[in-house]
Amino acid sequence: MSGPVRKPGKPAKKYSQAARLHDVIRILKARYGATVAELAEECGVTRRTVYRDLQALEEAGYPLTREEQPDGTVLHGFISEFKDTLPITFSLQELMTLYFCRGQLAFLRGTPFQDDLDAIFARIRSALPARSVAHLERLAEAAVPRFQGLRDYSGKREILESLRDALLRQYRCKILYAPPRREAEEYLFDPYTLLFFKDSLYLGGFAHNRGALRLFLVDRLQRVEPGAERFEVPEDFRVEDLTGSAFGLIDDAPMAVRVRFAPEVAHLIRERTWHPDQLLAVEKGCSVVLSFDAGGEKEILSWLYSYIPHVEVLSPPELKRTFA
């Protein structure tokens, strides 16, 4: 018995990878997750093909997750609240802002984040006329800040790659952290966020060993091992929970700080917000008194020293003595 006759000039229909990937995306978005066996059956392909397709989606930037079930099967899905979006376009003004921001991140040199930035701007350059790219590059060079004591994170590349994956997919980690002049200690840790502070990277999250939020300087991380278990960031979590009332990042007991700045530097103090709850009073003669409640004596002193001889600590008495 002969098979179906195909019309002349019409090739046999093939299930292309592009069409198959579209179906995989549709299936994973329509439900909590799917196993490789389910995807293979619904797409009419082998398990090996499904594994290749999942890898292709991950390499294309889709935020895939793997969750092992009690019966040993693995569910593949997207990170919560992920939505497919249309290609993003930018105005020239928005692109200029992006180029300005890139110049502020020189301390990321040698990290996987710098690789990601380079890839992003390579795509932008490929979509713009050469003249526009050259103009944006000139503007960006004019906005590059000067850094002193720049940290070198190239030696932490492997650790940062693991952290990036754990942050993106919300994987619980085992980390080995070595505080200054103390033995390294292992923590079971839920990484919530990375903080950039004074050109340094800090990892913030929940330390199960301590039953509390903790901040770790990335420079002192010796090992990061993401596990298969996922966690959820509490809905009421705020970055301020990691730093408390600290002037910087060191959350000591808060103190009521009052500092007088002479007229020579008063304009510099008025131009910035130094603490969310600060009070600023202008005195006769154009000096200013800055008041706030904060912890972190060493960070406060380091900041005040930069204004000598135009600064006077008024209170508290212990800070005044130390400063003197």
Side-chain angles (χ1 to χ4, degrees):
M1 187 174 181
S2 61
V5 178
R6 193 167 64 246
K7 291 185 179 180
K10 281 200 171 184
K13 184 178 179 182
K14 292 183 178 180
Y15 195 32
S16 68
Q17 186 187 36
R20 194 171 62 247
L21 290 177
H22 181 272
D23 279 351
V24 171
I25 293 170
R26 175 182 54 78
I27 292 168
L28 295 183
K29 287 179 66 178
R31 61 183 79 164
Y32 178 74
T35 65
V36 169
E38 290 170 343
L39 290 171
E41 182 180 352
E42 294 192 41
C43 294
V45 294
T46 64
R47 286 169 169 255
R48 180 177 295 180
T49 299
V50 171
Y51 281 118
R52 283 202 301 265
D53 289 346
L54 291 172
Q55 183 177 354
L57 288 175
E58 198 160 24
E59 290 173 353
Y62 284 85
L64 291 172
T65 61
R66 297 174 71 257
E67 290 193 19
E68 189 169 344
Q69 304 303 297
D71 62 359
T73 60
V74 175
L75 281 182
H76 297 266
F78 289 127
I79 286 178
S80 303
E81 301 179 1
F82 167 73
K83 292 183 179 180
D84 199 10
T85 57
L86 294 172
I88 300 173
T89 57
F90 300 100
S91 68
L92 199 57
Q93 292 86 348
E94 291 166 342
L95 286 171
M96 185 180 75
T97 301
L98 281 175
Y99 271 83
F100 277 155
C101 292
R102 184 184 67 173
Q104 313 306 307
L105 301 176
F107 65 95
L108 292 177
R109 199 163 42 219
T111 73
F113 303 110
Q114 181 64 55
D115 296 344
D116 295 337
L117 281 172
D118 291 342
I120 290 168
F121 282 94
R123 291 176 191 169
I124 290 174
R125 286 194 297 272
S126 68
L128 289 175
R131 186 173 178 179
S132 296
V133 171
H135 182 51
L136 288 170
E137 293 284 358
R138 281 194 298 271
L139 290 172
E141 286 174 8
V144 172
R146 294 179 62 187
F147 293 100
Q148 291 182 333
L150 194 65
R151 294 182 186 271
D152 181 9
Y153 282 107
S154 57
K156 297 291 183 182
R157 169 175 286 275
E158 187 175 338
I159 282 175
L160 286 169
E161 285 176 348
S162 297
L163 277 180
R164 181 179 59 176
D165 192 50
L167 285 162
L168 185 64
R169 304 177 194 288
Q170 294 178 235
Y171 287 146
R172 186 160 290 154
C173 302
K174 286 182 180 178
I175 66 173
L176 187 65
Y177 186 73
R181 299 180 296 278
R182 281 162 48 195
E183 291 292 322
E185 185 176 355
E186 188 174 80
Y187 291 82
L188 185 62
F189 196 74
D190 295 347
Y192 288 178
T193 187
L194 278 176
L195 292 182
F196 300 159
F197 182 71
K198 291 188 176 179
D199 310 326
S200 297
L201 288 172
Y202 292 82
L203 175 66
F206 185 80
H208 290 264
N209 311 46
R210 298 288 184 266
L213 295 173
R214 284 291 184 272
L215 266 177
F216 294 121
L217 181 64
V218 168
D219 308 52
R220 296 174 186 151
L221 288 174
Q222 296 187 348
R223 188 176 69 246
V224 173
E225 297 177 358
E229 187 178 1
R230 295 189 64 210
F231 66 89
E232 292 293 333
V233 178
E235 291 185 6
D236 59 351
F237 167 73
R238 301 176 307 153
V239 174
E240 292 81 4
D241 297 337
L242 290 165
T243 57
S245 59
F247 183 73
L249 292 183
I250 301 173
D251 190 17
D252 295 336
M255 50 187 163
V257 178
R258 289 182 71 245
V259 183
R260 176 180 289 118
F261 294 90
E264 290 85 348
V265 297
H267 64 287
L268 299 175
I269 303 304
R270 290 197 304 266
E271 288 170 354
R272 296 193 186 189
T273 299
W274 301 98
H275 192 273
D277 302 321
Q278 71 179 38
L279 293 175
L280 193 65
V282 180
E283 295 186 324
K284 196 178 274 188
C286 296
S287 60
V288 297
V289 173
L290 182 68
S291 306
F292 55 84
D293 290 350
E297 181 183 81
K298 289 182 179 179
E299 292 176 303
I300 294 173
L301 288 171
S302 176
W303 168 64
L304 292 175
Y305 290 153
S306 66
Y307 288 99
I308 290 175
H310 306 296
V311 58
E312 176 190 1
V313 177
L314 302 177
S315 63
E318 58 271 24
L319 182 66
K320 184 174 181 176
R321 284 193 299 270
T322 308
F323 180 75

